[in-house]
């Protein structure tokens, strides 16, 4: 990454200050810790998750706090012991409610010895022997090819046996005299046994060397389980197979894609339950309209914020299951969960026929990693608490003994009997797991797998969730979720048109859904799949619209760019409104909606929808006048924005209009570049060259941070230019423009602003919902607006029928 700073001062670079915040936190530690350079380094690594794999080896300093620790917090009567990690989490919390919640739960965990169960029963009937069965005492064989781990040191044989069970192996080898522990995948060296059915501690040895080199062999009770599709082919069930599609969705911008997904999977035979993120009122209201119109589509009664990795997602699932059983009373065979980024690969009837052969089974995708590494990467050695849309890591915890931890993908197909068990089961196993995973990161990626692996339903486990997921670890594992969780995680990437071959190869395979898809990144791949499934022609369909404002929203939530564009649009409507007042007294205009408009994933601008007193609605399409110019085949992409999706390498904001920016980011992707004589040149509105940045060949896209002065000045107002040029020749390989404005508190457009905005933005189209309803709307000779189209005929308009999502 390249950093360009117009201030020539480190103070303008936001992340440089953050390095000092975690160091200053050490002022609460004892003085001898603060003086050590090792302590802040380790603290920083733990904070960023770099040491999460060593969690079981942490040594924690503790502090005692009383109710006066936070003067603004509510009183807490117990004096409790908090680890440094807990105090760090409390310091991260942004309000007193979360600080107090973290403190109270931490104190409960510390004061209640069985807050988390230490051990749980395993009811899986597929076992070989029992946990802790003694095979015998054997001579140590450090070179055994059956050892799956390096020697570990434990204080007891139970800890060793459980450690090996967590590795999903059948045997544990423990030296009671040295504490060394090995895990064995098999044990068939009977000649190593000194005695059978006895621990080494029960034998009297004649010399100390023999005693120290002897180990007790134990069974963990583990035996491989789980079925594969090709091994469990059944005859088709004659009874009707009914699926509950459980959608957990969020993001108001995804409304059309959610409706498109529902249309693609809809059947009167099945049911549809939708959980909408509790923060998304617009999305909820729009889907509520759909649910009132179609009887087998319902929304959940309870809603939760479902940020990435949050424990509230598991709560949303379990509450949804309760609603299915208690209120809706649906007679179903399976529950299959989906999100707004999923899409079917085959017609839904093909899925229904397939599942009818497996009604007694459960489909879950397991991780393909060494089990203990998965446990560590999932943060299962830690306690997490969700508060104010953030998952706080408050301290370490031990794994539950005597059970297997399993996990993988959080997308499932679960049969009715198992869904009922996880919802209403009342035995020690399910109660303990429900409680524990309520304080866990990414609970849906482990909870259902772990319950299934340890319950009486373990023999119904099919290790396949019937999905194709687009993984690219190098791009998808960049700690991009640190804003919502105190951990590093991974996410799949978006399918694009170049992935057609991969998706087409699933025709004869048990893949029925794929993820992820995003029509603003690549809609052509979605259209291609949709046409194959529905056999409809989608070539003349509507543009993709993302809602960013609705009349029921608080106008204060409109960003300054949209407020300025709204003000600009209203100046265009003045003539039209004046003409209408000849027919309607006291005529007023109300902004109804704003959408971002995309055509085949290319940003087109904004559509602004206005409503008059008599119900007529006017919609305007406002587009950028100045686009990117690429004059060389060496340049593949040249873009600018402020919010970059580092996983997909695309800008989330596309307006190129910035209000008093402190930072903008430039993205350059080379098609082919081998020389080093290329520069990025930045010109101010008056044409002066403010910066020249040396560019270098790179296979990966270049991300360049441009920092502006902390204190904005009127000289910044106007249209700026960035160019990629060949040095010495000043040949322009590519150029783009962007607009900088200052805050306009009353949003009144003075002449200077209006002139600048008209140069950068233009109203390229305008339509009405009442094109032929009145002579008052014939404006061809009475206003400056020469043509007003019919909104129902404009593909960019909100009112145009969208064959993909309207139904």
């Amino acid at each position: 990454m390249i950093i360009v700073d117009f201030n020539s001062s480190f103070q303008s670079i936001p992340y440089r200050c953050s390095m000092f915040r975690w160091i200053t936190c050490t002022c609460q530690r004892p003085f001898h810790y603060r003086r050590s350079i090792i302590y802040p380094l380790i603290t920083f690594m733990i904070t960023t998750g770099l040491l999460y794999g060593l969690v079981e080896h942490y040594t924690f300093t503790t502090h005692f706090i009383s109710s006066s620790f936070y003067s603004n917090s509510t009183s807490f009567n117990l004096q409790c012991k908090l680890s440094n990690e807990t105090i760090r989490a409390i310091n991260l919390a942004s309000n007193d409610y979360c600080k107090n919640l973290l403190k109270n739960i931490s104190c409960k965990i510390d004061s209640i010895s069985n807050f988390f169960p230490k051990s749980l029963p395993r009811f899986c009937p597929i076992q070989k022997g029992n946990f802790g069965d003694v095979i015998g005492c054997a001579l140590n064989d450090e070179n055994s090819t059956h050892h799956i781990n390096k020697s570990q040191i434990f204080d007891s044989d139970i800890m060793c046996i459980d450690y090996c069970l967590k590795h999903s192996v059948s045997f544990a080898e423990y030296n009671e005299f040295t504490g060394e522990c090995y895990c064995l995948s098999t044990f068939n060296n009977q000649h190593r046994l000194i005695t059978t059915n006895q621990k080494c501690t029960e034998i009297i040895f004649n010399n100390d060397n023999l005693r120290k080199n002897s180990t007790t062999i134990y069974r963990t009770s583990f035996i491989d389980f789980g079925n594969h599709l090709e091994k469990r082919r059944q005859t088709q069930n004659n009874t009707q197979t009914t699926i509950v599609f459980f959608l957990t969705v969020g993001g108001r911008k995804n409304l059309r894609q959610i409706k498109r997904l529902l249309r693609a999977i809809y059947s009167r035979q099945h049911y549809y339950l939708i959980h909408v993120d509790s923060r998304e009122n617009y999305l909820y209201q729009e889907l509520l309209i759909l649910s009132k119109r179609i009887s087998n589509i319902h929304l959940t009664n309870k809603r939760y914020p479902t940020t990435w990795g949050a424990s509230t997602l598991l709560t949303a699932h379990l509450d949804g299951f309760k609603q299915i059983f208690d209120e809706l009373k649906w007679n179903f065979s399976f529950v299959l969960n989906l999100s707004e980024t999923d899409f079917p690969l085959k017609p839904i009837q093909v899925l229904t026929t397939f599942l009818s052969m497996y009604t007694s089974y459960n489909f879950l995708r397991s991780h393909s990693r060494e089990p203990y590494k998965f446990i560590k990467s999932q943060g299962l050695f830690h306690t997490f608490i969700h508060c104010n849309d953030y998952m706080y890591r408050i301290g370490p915890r031990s794994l539950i003994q005597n059970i297997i931890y399993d996990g993988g993908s959080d997308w499932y197909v679960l049969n009715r009997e198992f869904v009922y068990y996880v919802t209403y089961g009342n035995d020690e196993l399910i109660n303990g797991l429900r409680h524990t995973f309520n304080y866990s990161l990414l609970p849906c990626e482990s909870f259902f797998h772990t319950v299934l692996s340890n319950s009486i339903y373990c023999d119904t486990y099919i290790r396949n969730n019937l999905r194709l997921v687009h993984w690219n670890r190098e791009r998808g594992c960049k700690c991009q979720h640190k804003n919502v969780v105190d951990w590093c995680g991974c996410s799949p990437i978006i399918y694009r048109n170049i992935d057609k071959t991969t998706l087409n190869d699933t025709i004869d395979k048990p893949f029925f859904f794929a993820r992820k898809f995003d029509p603003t990144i690549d809609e052509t791949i979605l259209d291609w799949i949709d046409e194959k499934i529905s056999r409809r022609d989608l070539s003349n369909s509507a543009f993709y619209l993302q809602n960013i404002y609705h009349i029921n929203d608080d106008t204060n939530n409109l960003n300054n760019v949209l407020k300025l564009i709204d003000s600009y649009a209203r100046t265009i409507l003045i003539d039209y409104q004046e003409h209408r007042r000849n027919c309607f007294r006291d005529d007023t205009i109300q902004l109804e909606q704003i959408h971002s408009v995309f055509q085949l994933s290319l940003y087109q601008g904004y559509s602004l929808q206005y409503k008059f007193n008599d119900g007529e609605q006017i919609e305007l399409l406002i587009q950028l006048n100045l686009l990117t110019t690429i004059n060389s085949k060496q340049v593949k992409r040249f873009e600018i924005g402020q919010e970059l999706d580092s996983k997909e390498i695309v800008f989330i904001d596309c307006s190129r209009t910035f209000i008093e920016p402190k930072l903008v980011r430039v993205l350059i992707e080379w098609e082919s570049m081998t020389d080093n004589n290329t520069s990025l040149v930045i010109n101010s509105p008056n044409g002066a060259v403010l910066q020249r940045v040396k560019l270098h060949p790179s296979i990966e896209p270049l991300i360049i941070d441009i920092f502006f002065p902390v204190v904005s000045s009127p000289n910044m107002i106007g249209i700026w230019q960035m160019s990629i040029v060949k040095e010495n020749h000043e040949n322009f390989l590519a150029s783009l423009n962007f607009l900088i404005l200052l805050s306009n508190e009353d949003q009144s457009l003075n002449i200077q602003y209006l002139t600048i905005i008209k140069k950068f933005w233009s109203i390229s189209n305008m339509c009405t919902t009442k094109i032929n309803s009145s002579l008052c709307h014939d404006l061809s000779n009475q206003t400056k607006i020469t043509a007003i189209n019919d909104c129902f005929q404009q593909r960019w308009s909100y009112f145009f029928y969208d064959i993909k999502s309207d139904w």
Side-chain angles (χ1 to χ4, degrees):
M1 179 182 290
I2 302 171
I3 298 174
V4 181
D5 183 6
F6 288 160
N7 298 285
S8 299
S9 167
F10 290 134
Q11 293 179 351
S12 65
I13 303 178
Y15 66 81
R16 296 194 185 262
C17 298
S18 65
M19 297 293 289
F20 296 98
R21 286 197 290 269
W22 63 266
I23 295 177
T24 56
C25 289
T26 62
C27 66
Q28 296 179 358
R29 276 78 173 178
F31 182 72
H32 66 278
Y33 278 89
R34 282 183 275 145
R35 293 184 60 184
S36 168
I37 192 172
I38 301 298
Y39 185 82
L41 176 61
I42 293 176
T43 306
F44 174 71
M45 294 177 74
I46 293 175
T47 303
T48 56
L50 295 177
L51 290 184
Y52 67 83
L54 302 177
V55 61
E56 65 269 41
H57 304 301
Y58 286 170
T59 301
F60 289 88
T61 309
T62 57
H63 296 262
F64 289 87
I65 65 171
S66 63
S67 59
S68 61
F69 187 80
Y70 292 104
S71 58
N72 295 326
S73 299
T74 56
S75 61
F76 188 77
N77 296 325
L78 293 177
Q79 187 183 57
C80 57
K81 183 172 63 176
L82 297 179
S83 69
N84 286 333
E85 192 173 7
T86 303
I87 292 177
R88 181 192 57 81
I90 292 172
N91 288 336
L92 282 175
S94 59
N95 58 58
D96 287 342
Y97 173 79
C98 288
K99 290 178 185 292
N100 208 43
L101 178 69
L102 298 176
K103 181 179 64 173
N104 290 355
I105 293 178
S106 298
C107 288
K108 286 182 180 179
I109 293 172
D110 181 68
S111 60
I112 302 174
S113 60
N114 62 342
F115 185 89
F116 294 118
K118 289 181 171 55
S119 176
L120 288 174
R122 186 164 184 255
F123 299 132
C124 176
I126 305 175
Q127 297 188 31
K128 190 169 184 178
N130 299 308
F131 179 90
D133 282 353
V134 177
I135 293 178
C137 179
L139 292 175
N140 189 19
D141 181 8
E142 295 182 354
N143 298 317
S144 172
T145 57
H146 300 297
H147 287 169
I148 61 93
N149 67 304
K150 295 181 180 179
S151 173
Q152 301 288 320
I153 304 297
F154 290 106
D155 293 333
S156 69
D157 53 356
I158 293 298
M159 295 175 68
C160 174
I161 299 167
D162 188 68
Y163 174 78
C164 295
L165 177 64
K166 300 295 186 285
H167 276 84
S168 298
V169 295
S170 300
F171 301 95
E173 185 173 355
Y174 184 67
N175 188 318
E176 286 90 345
F177 307 106
T178 65
E180 289 181 292
C181 173
Y182 293 96
C183 300
L184 300 169
S185 54
T186 61
F187 180 77
N188 49 21
N189 297 329
Q190 299 297 321
H191 63 277
R192 286 179 53 201
L193 290 175
I194 300 173
T195 182
T196 59
N197 303 322
Q198 278 187 300
K199 297 181 181 181
C200 294
T201 52
E202 298 172 354
I203 301 174
I204 299 175
F205 291 93
N206 293 327
N207 66 70
D208 289 341
N209 287 334
L210 183 63
R211 180 169 61 88
K212 291 180 180 178
N213 288 320
S214 63
T215 58
T216 303
I217 310 297
Y218 297 88
R219 289 191 185 277
T220 67
S221 78
F222 177 83
I223 187 172
D224 194 28
F225 65 98
N227 305 299
H228 300 282
L229 292 174
E230 63 272 15
K231 295 181 180 179
R232 292 288 173 175
R233 177 70 62 179
Q234 293 185 348
T235 57
Q236 185 169 342
N237 196 328
N238 292 326
T239 60
Q240 177 172 286
T241 298
T242 303
I243 305 167
V244 175
F245 292 94
F246 183 38
L247 279 67
T248 51
V249 299
R252 65 184 301 148
K253 298 178 180 181
N254 297 313
L255 174 63
R256 288 208 171 190
Q257 181 58 25
I258 294 167
K259 292 172 70 175
R260 181 178 191 173
L261 170 62
L262 284 167
R263 177 167 185 156
I265 64 175
Y266 182 76
S267 168
R268 293 182 180 179
Q269 175 181 339
H270 303 303
Y271 299 106
Y272 305 85
L273 182 63
I274 307 172
H275 175 277
V276 181
D277 190 304
S278 61
R279 299 163 297 178
E280 302 288 352
N281 290 328
Y282 165 81
L283 187 60
Y284 179 81
Q285 293 300 326
E286 292 294 316
L287 291 174
L288 186 62
I289 295 171
L290 183 67
S291 70
K292 289 180 177 179
R293 187 165 56 85
I294 303 174
S295 61
N296 57 341
I297 297 179
H298 284 257
L299 303 188
T300 59
N301 297 329
K302 296 181 179 180
R303 297 165 57 202
Y304 301 90
T306 50
T307 51
W308 185 91
S311 55
T312 50
L313 185 57
L314 177 59
T315 308
H317 281 254
L318 296 180
D319 280 349
F321 296 166
K322 289 178 182 178
Q323 186 175 345
I324 292 171
F325 285 111
D326 294 348
E327 177 192 327
L328 299 172
K329 302 186 184 302
W330 285 339
N331 184 18
F332 67 94
S333 311
F334 292 97
V335 176
L336 184 154
N337 67 327
L338 296 167
S339 78
E340 67 274 5
T341 59
D342 294 288
F343 206 74
L345 296 174
K346 296 177 174 69
I348 209 64
Q349 190 53 48
V350 177
L351 170 66
T352 306
T353 302
F354 176 86
L355 287 178
S356 68
M357 299 184 290
Y358 296 92
T359 52
S360 61
Y361 289 89
N362 294 282
F363 297 81
L364 285 166
R365 175 79 176 184
S366 289
H367 61 86
S368 57
R369 305 163 64 183
E370 195 272 315
Y372 220 64
K373 289 183 179 179
F374 173 80
I375 290 171
K376 292 175 182 178
S377 69
Q378 292 293 104
L380 292 172
F381 280 105
H382 288 280
T383 297
F384 286 84
I385 296 175
H386 184 265
C387 187
N388 274 17
D389 304 334
Y390 191 84
M391 285 289 281
Y392 294 92
R393 189 175 80 239
I394 65 167
R397 72 178 181 209
S398 300
L399 297 180
I400 301 171
Q401 291 184 353
N402 198 42
I403 65 168
I404 294 170
Y405 280 81
D406 192 13
S409 172
D410 51 353
W411 308 102
Y412 56 69
V413 185
L414 305 177
N415 69 30
R416 180 187 182 96
E417 188 174 355
F418 183 67
V419 171
Y420 189 88
Y421 174 69
V422 299
T423 308
Y424 297 108
N426 195 30
D427 57 52
E428 187 179 355
L429 173 68
I430 188 62
N431 287 336
L433 291 178
R434 276 196 299 250
H435 173 73
T436 301
F437 278 95
N438 192 43
Y439 299 94
S440 299
L441 178 70
L442 295 162
C444 291
E445 292 188 5
S446 298
F447 172 75
F448 298 108
H449 303 70
T450 302
V451 173
L452 189 58
S453 296
N454 294 283
S455 69
I456 61 172
Y457 301 99
C458 63
D459 61 341
T460 69
Y461 195 156
I462 291 183
R463 298 182 183 276
N464 187 319
N465 64 357
L466 314 181
R467 328 287 171 104
L468 187 68
V469 182
H470 195 4
W471 281 107
N472 182 322
R473 301 281 176 181
E474 185 177 350
R475 282 172 50 191
C477 301
K478 294 185 176 181
C479 284
Q480 62 266 32
H481 304 293
K482 291 290 285 184
N483 62 318
V484 294
V485 61
D486 192 7
W487 199 252
C488 284
C490 301
S491 290
I493 62 174
I494 302 298
Y495 280 108
R496 289 171 166 83
N497 205 40
I498 58 174
D499 300 309
K500 275 186 178 180
T501 301
T502 301
L503 295 172
N504 203 45
D505 287 345
T506 65
I507 292 176
D508 299 323
K509 299 176 182 177
F511 294 114
F512 297 89
F513 291 89
R515 66 189 314 268
K516 292 182 170 182
F517 296 95
D518 187 334
T520 67
I521 293 177
D522 198 320
E523 191 173 21
T524 56
I525 189 69
L526 275 165
D527 291 348
W528 175 73
I529 297 172
D530 202 346
E531 287 182 334
K532 288 181 62 176
I533 294 174
S534 65
R535 298 183 180 181
R536 298 180 300 161
D537 181 11
L538 304 177
S539 58
N540 197 37
S541 55
F543 291 1
Y544 187 76
L545 303 185
Q546 283 190 329
N547 183 273
I548 49 182
Y549 172 76
H550 187 272
I551 189 173
N552 292 331
D553 297 338
D554 187 345
T555 54
N556 292 325
N557 293 336
L558 270 179
N559 64 45
N560 288 330
V561 172
L562 293 177
K563 288 179 180 179
L564 288 169
I565 290 176
D566 171 41
S567 299
Y568 167 46
R570 288 176 184 271
T571 65
I572 304 299
L573 292 175
I574 289 176
D575 287 339
Y576 188 63
Q577 190 173 18
E578 287 298 322
H579 171 69
R580 282 177 49 90
R581 283 175 180 160
N582 295 330
C583 305
F584 306 101
R585 293 184 177 180
D586 302 321
D587 196 20
T588 59
I589 186 170
Q590 175 70 54
L591 177 63
E592 291 282 309
Q593 297 191 86
I594 301 178
H595 292 89
S596 292
V597 181
F598 295 84
Q599 182 182 17
L600 296 178
S601 307
L602 296 176
Y603 175 72
Q604 300 298 310
Y606 296 113
S607 68
L608 285 79
Q609 177 188 340
Y610 296 92
K611 187 175 184 179
F612 292 98
N613 288 359
D614 66 334
E616 179 184 5
Q617 299 202 46
I618 292 286
E619 197 169 4
L620 296 87
L621 178 61
I622 300 183
Q623 295 184 290
L624 293 168
N625 284 330
L626 304 173
L627 302 177
T628 302
T629 301
I630 296 179
N631 301 317
S632 170
K633 293 181 179 180
Q634 290 181 300
V635 181
K636 184 176 182 180
R637 293 171 65 195
F638 184 32
E639 300 172 10
I640 189 170
Q642 287 186 307
E643 189 176 356
L644 180 72
D645 183 334
S646 60
K647 177 168 65 74
E648 301 300 335
I649 319 178
V650 295
F651 283 110
I652 296 173
D653 58 317
C654 305
S655 69
R656 298 191 188 178
T657 302
F658 310 115
I659 309 294
E660 297 187 16
K662 301 299 180 284
L663 165 71
V664 297
R665 314 190 80 181
V666 180
L667 185 153
I668 301 173
E669 186 175 359
W670 305 118
E671 188 69 58
S672 60
M673 176 60 68
T674 57
D675 52 56
N676 290 304
N677 63 340
T678 308
S679 295
L680 176 69
V681 178
I682 305 168
N683 297 90
S684 67
N686 61 15
V689 175
L690 294 187
Q691 285 286 343
R692 184 182 289 266
V693 183
K694 183 78 172 178
L695 301 177
H696 301 282
S698 173
I699 297 175
E700 296 297 321
L702 293 173
I703 309 297
I704 303 170
D705 284 355
I706 308 295
F707 288 88
F708 289 87
V710 175
V711 179
S712 302
S713 71
N715 294 331
M716 295 176 61
I717 298 174
I719 299 173
W720 292 59
Q721 184 181 50
M722 283 190 182
S723 305
I724 302 174
V725 301
K726 287 282 189 180
E727 293 181 3
N728 303 323
H729 303 288
E730 293 298 315
N731 292 333
F732 282 71
L733 303 184
S735 64
L736 61 78
N737 299 87
F738 59 97
L739 177 62
I740 290 183
L741 300 171
L742 302 186
S743 295
N744 189 12
E745 296 300 329
D746 60 6
Q747 302 309 317
S748 60
L749 285 176
N750 56 37
I751 296 176
Q752 181 191 11
Y753 265 35
L754 182 58
T755 302
I756 294 172
I757 290 178
K758 281 185 175 180
K759 287 181 180 179
F760 197 74
W761 293 91
S762 65
I763 297 181
S764 62
N765 208 327
M766 184 173 177
C767 67
T768 177
T769 57
K770 293 188 175 182
I771 190 72
N772 296 316
S773 63
S774 168
L775 291 176
C776 288
H777 302 140
D778 182 10
L779 303 177
S780 58
N781 298 317
Q782 301 180 48
T783 73
K784 296 178 183 178
I785 303 172
T786 58
I788 299 183
N789 299 304
D790 183 353
C791 286
F792 297 100
Q793 302 299 319
Q794 303 300 306
R795 293 173 62 198
W796 58 268
S797 172
Y798 168 79
F799 298 98
F800 185 85
Y801 180 79
D802 183 14
I803 190 175
K804 300 174 186 177
S805 61
D806 290 336
W807 54 303

